[in-house]
Amino acid sequence: MNPILVVGSVALDTVKTPAGSIADGLGGSATYFSLAARYFSPVQLVAVVGEDFPRAHRNLLSERGVDCSGLKTAKGKTFRWSGKYGKDAGVAKTLATHLNVFKDFSPKLDAPHRKAPVVFLANIDPELQSEVLAQMTAPALVACDTMNYWIDSKPEALKELLAKVDVFFCNEEEAEKLTGAPNPLQAADVIASWGPSVVVVKKGEHGSLMRIGGTFYMFPCFPLPNIKDPTGAGDTFAGGFLGYLASCGSYDDVGHMKRAMAYGTVMASFNVEDFSTKNIEDLDRDRIDERFHDLLDRMSVPRAEDLLKARRPIPA
Amino acid sequence: MNPILVVGSVALDTVKTPAGSIADGLGGSATYFSLAARYFSPVQLVAVVGEDFPRAHRNLLSERGVDCSGLKTAKGKTFRWSGKYGKDAGVAKTLATHLNVFKDFSPKLDAPHRKAPVVFLANIDPELQSEVLAQMTAPALVACDTMNYWIDSKPEALKELLAKVDVFFCNEEEAEKLTGAPNPLQAADVIASWGPSVVVVKKGEHGSLMRIGGTFYMFPCFPLPNIKDPTGAGDTFAGGFLGYLASCGSYDDVGHMKRAMAYGTVMASFNVEDFSTKNIEDLDRDRIDERFHDLLDRMSVPRAEDLLKARRPIPA
C-alpha cells in the first residue's frame, strides 16, 4: 500500500445553501481529501488546528484510519470559513475568512512523512507548498491544487511550484484566470507547458477533463438532481483520484488515470449530498464501487460489432 | 433504409464570430439537420425558400442525396437571420430576423412524405409542428426541437405537441425555462412527465444528457480548443442522432440511443469547425466513424478486472 501525504487546511466551516445550513462543521481541504482518499490508500494528514478544535473531529479522522500524527494543535483558534451558495451551486460567496492559527502554518514534516511516495499539496500558499515539497525524500507522484487568491497574489510562486508537479488540479475558472486562455482546453495546454504531465480541470456539474501528453479525456458528472452542499467537492475529487491511483502503484497508465477520474467524480458526488463531511464519513468500498459502476453504465457507449470492424487506427 | 422527414427552416444566415464572419451563408434548422442526417439515412426535406434562394444551395442539398421535392419556392424573399457570437460560443446575439416567406409557412405534405417512419419537427411554431404531425400516416418515431421564442409565446401549444412526441431535443436554458426547474435533470423529469420517453438536453461545450425511463445518461463534448461558428450545432446534433437511430431500425435499444448521442456529438463537433454548413458538406462515413471512435476512446473508462469481479448488480 502506498501512503499519501496531504498538507492543507483543517477548518470549521459555517455554510448556508438553499437546502439548509451548518455552523462550525468539520471542513478544510486536507480534511475532505483525507476522508475521501482513505477508502483506497493510507493517508497521512499534515495540518494545524487551534485549541478549540473539537476532540470529536480529531477522533473522527483517526478512527477512520487517517494518520493524524501530523495534525498539530497550536495556541489560538482553528481556521474558520463561512460561505453561502445560491441557486448556482458552482459559486460560493465567502462571507468571512478567519485564518487564526492557519496564518502561521509552516509545516515541518516528521521523518516518516518525508518518505511518502505520493504527496498532495492542497490549496495553501504556493511558497509553502514548495517548502513542503523540498522536505520530501523522493516522491513518485506530486499533485497540487490552488485557488483564485494565490493566482492573483502569487502567480510566479505558483508557476515555480508547477514546474515540480506531476498532477495539477484546478477548476475551469482558475485555469482560465491563471493562463488568460479563453477555454479550459487551451488553458490546460498552457499549464502543461509549465510542467505538470497531467492537468485535471474540474467543471462542477459539467464534469471534468484530463490532459495527458497532449490528449484530452472527457468525463461527465454523476447525475444528482438535488445537492445539499458543494463545499469540499474539489478536494474529495482529488482524494478519490489520488487515493485510487496510489492503490494502483503505477502512475503512468491511462486506464488507471481514467478510473481515477471516475473515482474522483464518484467521491465528489457522495460529498455534495450532505453538509460538511457527513456523507463521506461512513461509506464503504462496496457502496463506492457500486456508484463507480453505475457512473460507468451511464457514460459508456458500446461500440457496435459492425462499427468495430469498420474501425480505423486512431492517430495518437 | 428508414427515411427521415424533416420539417423546418432553410435560411440565409449572416454571422459574425471572433473567428470571422459570413454573409448570406446557407443555414436554417432543416438544412443543418438534413446535411448531418443523410450520412446515415435517407432524408426528405420539407421547407420553403424565396425566389432569391441561390440555385447553388438547392443543388448542394440535392447533390448530397437530400430529397428536395418538399422544398418549395414561394413568392418573396428567403428567411434571413443575422447574429453575433462573443467569447462565449454558447450565446448568440440576434441582430436581425426577417421571416419573409417563412412567415406564411404552412406545409402540406406530399403523399410519399406522409409515410416516413421517422419525423423531425425542427424549431418552428408548435401549432405548425402539430399540424404537420397530424398529416403523417403512422410514424414509428416522432422527434422535435423548439426555442425560447415558442416557450415564451406558446407554452401550451408546445406541451400539447410534446404529448405526441417520442424524443425531445432542447438545450439547458430552454429546459429550465420551459419547466421552471433549477437544473437540467429536474427539468428533464418534468418534460418526460408530459410525454417524451426520451429527453435530450444539450449543454454546448459541456456535453449533453439523455433521460430514458427515469435513468440519466451523461455525455461529454468532443474537445475542440478552437471553434469558428456554433450556428447549427443543435440541429446537426439532432441530425447525427436521428440519422444514426433511423439506420438501426429499432427505437427502444439503449445501446443504439447511446451511440446516437455520440454520433450527434460528433456531427455537431464537425459543424462548429467552420462557418455555415461548410464542414458538414463533404464528410464521409469513414471520417465520421474515425471521430466517433476517437470520442469513445477519450470518454471510455475501462473497468479493471478485479473491479469487474467485485461488481454488484446495479439497481435499475
Side-chain angles (χ1 to χ4, degrees):
Chain A
M1 294 295 273
N2 298 304
I4 307 175
L5 181 74
V6 51
V7 183
S9 63
V10 170
L12 297 174
D13 289 348
T14 297
V15 176
K16 203 170 143 70
T17 81
S21 64
I22 189 169
D24 281 346
L26 179 58
S29 58
T31 305
Y32 283 106
F33 179 92
S34 298
L35 284 174
R38 52 104 197 185
Y39 291 106
F40 307 90
S41 296
V43 176
Q44 302 163 341
L45 168 63
V46 170
V48 65
V49 290
E51 295 152 316
D52 60 344
F53 189 66
R55 187 86 224 160
H57 286 349
R58 180 185 285 269
N59 290 347
L60 189 154
L61 289 161
S62 44
E63 281 162 11
R64 279 156 189 80
V66 177
D67 168 4
C68 291
S69 63
L71 178 58
K72 310 294 183 192
T73 302
K75 226 179 161 63
K77 286 190 157 188
T78 301
F79 175 28
R80 274 174 173 75
W81 177 78
S82 91
K84 196 174 149 177
Y85 298 85
K87 219 193 83 180
D88 182 356
V91 187
K93 190 184 169 195
T94 291
L95 300 175
T97 303
H98 300 289
L99 290 175
N100 297 332
V101 297
F102 198 60
K103 200 165 43 193
D104 301 315
F105 184 47
S106 176
K108 299 285 166 284
L109 301 185
D110 298 331
H113 293 164
R114 293 170 191 256
K115 291 186 227 148
V118 179
V119 57
F120 179 62
L121 305 162
N123 163 35
I124 53 175
D125 183 333
E127 290 175 12
L128 266 189
Q129 289 174 310
S130 279
E131 280 172 31
V132 169
L133 188 53
Q135 297 175 52
M136 304 290 295
T137 314
L141 189 78
V142 178
C144 81
D145 190 5
T146 191
M147 72 184 291
N148 275 335
Y149 180 78
W150 306 118
I151 293 170
D152 287 332
S153 61
K154 300 198 174 179
E156 291 311 315
L158 182 56
K159 282 183 209 171
E160 275 172 44
L161 171 71
L162 288 178
K164 299 168 275 185
V165 159
D166 302 300
V167 183
F168 179 55
F169 295 93
C170 56
N171 67 35
E172 188 169 9
E173 189 203 347
E174 290 160 359
E176 294 172 8
K177 187 190 261 269
L178 179 58
T179 60
N183 62 51
L185 301 167
Q186 288 188 31
D189 282 342
V190 176
I191 292 165
S193 76
W194 295 336
S197 54
V198 179
V199 179
V200 174
V201 184
K202 296 160 292 171
K203 306 194 292 171
E205 66 177 295
H206 298 304
S208 54
L209 63 89
M210 171 170 66
R211 184 193 186 280
I212 308 179
T215 301
F216 289 103
Y217 301 93
M218 318 296 285
F219 302 83
C221 199
F222 187 80
L224 293 175
N226 294 291
I227 73 166
K228 280 196 178 169
D229 177 10
T231 310
D235 296 301
T236 48
F237 186 103
F241 182 103
L242 287 175
Y244 174 75
L245 198 60
S247 78
C248 297
S250 76
Y251 309 110
D252 54 2
D253 179 285
V254 174
H256 290 335
M257 299 271 193
K258 285 173 154 187
R259 285 189 290 276
M261 289 292 284
Y263 275 115
T265 301
V266 163
M267 293 312 297
S269 76
F270 279 119
N271 182 61
V272 301
E273 288 184 294
D274 208 340
F275 282 87
S276 178
T277 58
K278 282 183 198 169
N279 207 40
I280 55 167
E281 291 168 10
D282 295 308
L283 296 168
D284 57 48
R285 187 62 192 265
D286 278 349
R287 278 188 66 200
I288 293 168
D289 282 347
E290 195 174 301
R291 186 169 285 188
F292 171 86
H293 287 294
D294 187 3
L295 173 66
L296 265 50
D297 289 342
R298 292 167 187 275
M299 60 184 273
S300 68
V301 175
R303 300 183 208 250
E305 282 300 312
D306 55 332
L307 288 171
L308 273 176
K309 271 184 278 170
R311 193 180 175 191
R312 305 173 137 215
I314 307 298
Chain B
M1 294 295 272
N2 298 304
I4 306 174
L5 180 74
V6 52
V7 183
S9 63
V10 171
L12 297 173
D13 289 347
T14 296
V15 176
K16 204 171 143 68
T17 82
S21 63
I22 190 169
D24 280 346
L26 178 58
S29 57
T31 305
Y32 283 106
F33 179 91
S34 299
L35 285 173
R38 53 103 197 187
Y39 291 106
F40 307 91
S41 297
V43 176
Q44 302 163 341
L45 168 63
V46 170
V48 65
V49 291
E51 296 152 314
D52 60 344
F53 189 66
R55 187 87 223 160
H57 286 349
R58 180 185 285 269
N59 291 347
L60 189 153
L61 288 161
S62 45
E63 281 163 10
R64 278 156 189 80
V66 177
D67 169 3
C68 291
S69 63
L71 178 58
K72 310 294 183 194
T73 302
K75 227 178 158 67
K77 286 191 156 186
T78 302
F79 175 28
R80 274 175 174 75
W81 176 78
S82 91
K84 196 175 149 177
Y85 297 85
K87 220 192 83 180
D88 183 355
V91 187
K93 191 183 169 195
T94 291
L95 300 174
T97 304
H98 301 289
L99 290 175
N100 298 331
V101 297
F102 199 60
K103 201 164 42 192
D104 302 314
F105 185 47
S106 176
K108 298 286 164 283
L109 300 185
D110 298 331
H113 293 164
R114 293 170 190 256
K115 292 186 227 146
V118 179
V119 58
F120 179 61
L121 306 162
N123 163 36
I124 52 174
D125 183 332
E127 289 175 10
L128 267 188
Q129 289 174 309
S130 279
E131 280 172 30
V132 170
L133 188 53
Q135 298 175 50
M136 305 288 296
T137 313
L141 189 78
V142 178
C144 82
D145 190 6
T146 191
M147 72 185 291
N148 276 336
Y149 181 77
W150 305 119
I151 292 170
D152 286 333
S153 59
K154 299 198 174 180
E156 291 311 316
L158 182 54
K159 282 183 208 170
E160 274 172 44
L161 171 70
L162 288 178
K164 298 168 275 184
V165 159
D166 302 301
V167 183
F168 179 55
F169 294 95
C170 57
N171 66 35
E172 187 169 10
E173 189 202 347
E174 289 159 0
E176 293 172 8
K177 188 190 260 268
L178 180 57
T179 59
N183 62 51
L185 301 166
Q186 289 187 30
D189 282 342
V190 175
I191 292 165
S193 77
W194 295 337
S197 53
V198 179
V199 179
V200 174
V201 184
K202 297 160 292 173
K203 306 194 292 171
E205 65 178 295
H206 298 304
S208 55
L209 63 89
M210 172 171 64
R211 184 193 186 280
I212 307 178
T215 300
F216 289 103
Y217 301 93
M218 317 297 285
F219 302 83
C221 200
F222 186 81
L224 294 175
N226 293 292
I227 74 166
K228 280 196 178 169
D229 177 9
T231 310
D235 296 302
T236 48
F237 186 103
F241 181 103
L242 287 175
Y244 173 76
L245 198 60
S247 78
C248 296
S250 76
Y251 310 109
D252 53 2
D253 179 286
V254 173
H256 291 334
M257 299 272 192
K258 285 174 154 187
R259 284 189 292 275
M261 289 291 285
Y263 275 115
T265 301
V266 163
M267 294 312 297
S269 77
F270 279 119
N271 181 61
V272 301
E273 288 185 295
D274 209 341
F275 282 86
S276 178
T277 58
K278 283 183 199 169
N279 207 42
I280 56 167
E281 290 168 11
D282 295 309
L283 295 168
D284 57 48
R285 187 63 192 266
D286 278 349
R287 276 189 65 200
I288 293 168
D289 282 347
E290 195 174 301
R291 187 169 285 187
F292 172 86
H293 287 294
D294 187 3
L295 173 65
L296 265 51
D297 289 342
R298 291 167 188 275
M299 60 185 273
S300 68
V301 175
R303 300 184 208 249
E305 283 299 314
D306 54 333
L307 288 172
L308 273 177
K309 269 184 278 169
R311 193 180 172 189
R312 305 173 138 215
I314 308 297

